[in-house]
Amino acid sequence: LMRCACPVSGNRTAMHTACEAGRDTVVATLLAGGADPEPLDSAGDKPRDLAGKTATAPSLSHFLILS
């Protein structure tokens, strides 16, 4: 999933799902494994967009490091 950015549903990746759920450890693991932090889902959202709407501050910190 991480390397091929295989969509889960709605063109969402595992990164989208982890960010939306606020799963900081999963986000960190996906990023450490080389997951793309910038894919767009079918609604045009990036994982960081979902993290900003629903997740905790630590989830966003993973993305701020990448910016």
Side-chain angles (χ1 to χ4, degrees), residues 12-34:
R12 286 190 168 188
T13 63
M15 183 67 76
H16 285 96
T17 303
C19 285
E20 185 171 44
R23 301 300 300 249
D24 301 327
T25 304
V26 176
V27 170
T29 301
L30 289 169
L31 289 170

Side-chain angles (χ1 to χ4, degrees), residues 4 6 16 26-27 30-31 37 44 50-52 54 58 60 63:
C4 69
C6 300
H16 285 96
V26 176
V27 170
L30 289 169
L31 289 170
L50 300 174
T54 60
L60 289 175
F63 290 105

Side-chain angles (χ1 to χ4, degrees), residues 1-2 6 12-13 15 19 30 32 46-48 55-56 61 66:
L1 282 174
M2 293 185 304
C6 300
R12 286 190 168 188
T13 63
M15 183 67 76
C19 285
L30 289 169
K46 294 178 181 179
R48 74 171 66 207
T56 60
S61 69
L66 297 172

Side-chain angles (χ1 to χ4, degrees), residues 6 8-9 14 20 28 33 36-38 47 53 62-64 66-67:
C6 300
V8 176
S9 68
E20 185 171 44
D36 181 2
E38 298 292 316
K53 292 177 185 175
H62 295 298
F63 290 105
L64 294 175
L66 297 172
S67 298

